[in-house]
Amino acid sequence: MNRRIPMKNLFLLVSLISMLLISACNQAQSDTFGYAESKESIDNLPSLQSVSLSENNKQVIRETFDSVKELQDRIRSGPNPDWVVKDEKVNISLSDYVLAKKNRDLIYALNQVVEIPSDEALLQDMVTKQLTVNYAKQSGIVVTPEEVSEAVHFQKAALDEADPNDENHQLIRYMMENRIRITSMTTEEFWNSDEVYEAYETSLYISKFLQSILTDESMKGMDSYQQLQEKLFDDFQKAHPIKVPDFDVLFQEVDL
């Protein structure tokens, strides 16, 4: 039986699997898995809902993911450090950061928005996400493998059942095809990969933790959640100063 897949679920798919790593709940929510809207730490990430699959946008998407692959290949084969942040609480590889940065920039490019939030804000968001997951686990939040598998299956179905007559749905499908293309995996291998599993597991931890705060009458809703995230990052930054990679130095021959 065909289900009508809401656009919000398709956007969530791109948010998670493209590893935008901007927010666990990027401008979307799914009642099925308990996602809730939240203020993004990077200001006003544009929505894809008004972007169509034009030939120009196809080219922008292809070139973006080709650039990601080129940079990641250089990282794997070069002498550059593999990690942006590596600690017992936070692990962010240079390859992950490249993908997050390029995907964020892609969203802005597709929306023809020139002013992009700083790379410092992007890295802070990536660090904060991992710190929040750690805190959620310590607070007793549990995400089971079955929940992760169900979420992956649901979002894969959202992609498979995208409306072929809706250019915006097809834009998202095209983005995912290019995301998978640069991994050299088959579609099934990609969806069954550790990378996808960990992305959904992370999102579910953050979603469940956020819901626990929003339903706690002793807390102040999103204000409490954001204050906690700010404290987690500030405490981590004091003990482990982080620095945005200088790509002009690392990849002088690559035009970012």
Side-chain angles (χ1 to χ4, degrees):
M1 179 177 66
N2 269 342
R3 290 176 296 161
R4 187 177 181 82
I5 302 298
M7 187 63 217
K8 63 187 180 182
N9 291 333
L10 285 174
F11 187 80
L12 180 62
L13 174 75
V14 175
S15 301
L16 295 173
I17 301 306
S18 289
M19 311 302 168
L20 293 172
L21 303 175
I22 306 301
S23 165
C25 314
N26 260 334
Q27 298 182 6
Q29 62 181 14
S30 167
D31 296 334
T32 305
F33 297 111
Y35 293 108
E37 292 184 11
S38 67
K39 177 183 176 183
E40 294 174 342
S41 58
I42 293 181
D43 297 337
N44 301 320
L45 181 73
S47 169
L48 289 173
Q49 294 185 23
S50 61
V51 181
S52 64
L53 186 60
S54 65
E55 288 304 316
N56 180 68
N57 284 341
K58 283 184 178 181
Q59 181 178 352
V60 171
I61 293 168
R62 286 195 306 270
E63 290 178 352
T64 294
F65 283 103
D66 286 343
S67 174
V68 170
K69 179 171 174 52
E70 180 179 5
L71 288 167
Q72 290 181 332
D73 287 346
R74 288 173 68 95
I75 290 168
R76 296 185 185 101
S77 61
N80 301 311
D82 292 335
W83 298 94
V84 179
V85 184
K86 187 170 178 59
D87 180 79
E88 66 273 7
K89 294 181 179 178
V90 178
N91 291 297
I92 298 173
S93 70
L94 188 55
S95 181
D96 287 342
Y97 176 77
V98 164
L99 183 57
K101 172 180 167 61
K102 299 295 285 187
N103 274 282
R104 179 205 59 182
D105 294 352
L106 173 62
I107 299 299
Y108 278 86
L110 291 173
N111 281 276
Q112 299 181 352
V113 177
V114 177
E115 294 186 7
I116 301 176
S118 69
D119 292 344
E120 286 79 7
L122 172 63
L123 184 55
Q124 176 176 338
D125 202 87
M126 295 174 72
V127 170
T128 301
K129 174 177 285 188
Q130 292 195 21
L131 293 172
T132 303
V133 169
N134 292 335
Y135 191 92
K137 291 178 179 178
Q138 293 170 4
S139 300
I141 300 295
V142 175
V143 171
T144 67
E146 291 76 19
E147 288 175 307
V148 178
S149 295
E150 185 180 1
V152 171
H153 176 77
F154 178 82
Q155 293 298 330
K156 184 176 182 298
L159 180 66
D160 292 340
E161 297 173 24
D163 185 350
N165 297 314
D166 187 311
E167 273 198 89
N168 186 248
H169 287 202
Q170 293 311 307
L171 172 94
I172 293 176
R173 182 194 292 272
Y174 191 75
M175 289 178 69
M176 285 305 304
E177 288 172 354
N178 278 272
R179 171 69 184 98
I180 295 171
R181 172 177 63 84
I182 67 169
T183 67
S184 299
M185 298 181 191
T186 66
T187 299
E188 287 305 312
E189 287 172 341
F190 176 78
W191 284 103
N192 290 315
S193 67
D194 291 341
E195 182 180 19
V196 170
Y197 183 94
E198 290 167 5
Y200 277 97
E201 183 182 49
T202 293
S203 182
L204 287 170
Y205 266 113
I206 293 177
S207 298
K208 281 190 172 186
F209 181 58
L210 175 57
Q211 287 295 328
S212 72
I213 290 179
L214 295 179
T215 56
D216 187 339
E217 294 182 357
S218 68
M219 306 291 281
K220 298 179 180 179
M222 284 303 303
D223 287 342
S224 293
Y225 180 70
Q226 290 158 9
Q227 289 168 8
L228 172 62
Q229 288 194 312
E230 289 172 4
K231 185 178 188 309
L232 289 173
F233 179 78
D234 289 344
D235 289 347
F236 182 83
Q237 170 80 325
K238 289 175 184 176
H240 310 278
I242 62 174
K243 183 179 179 181
V244 173
D246 186 341
F247 286 108
D248 289 335
V249 174
L250 292 175
F251 304 110
Q252 293 181 1
E253 299 177 1
V254 179
D255 182 13
L256 284 173

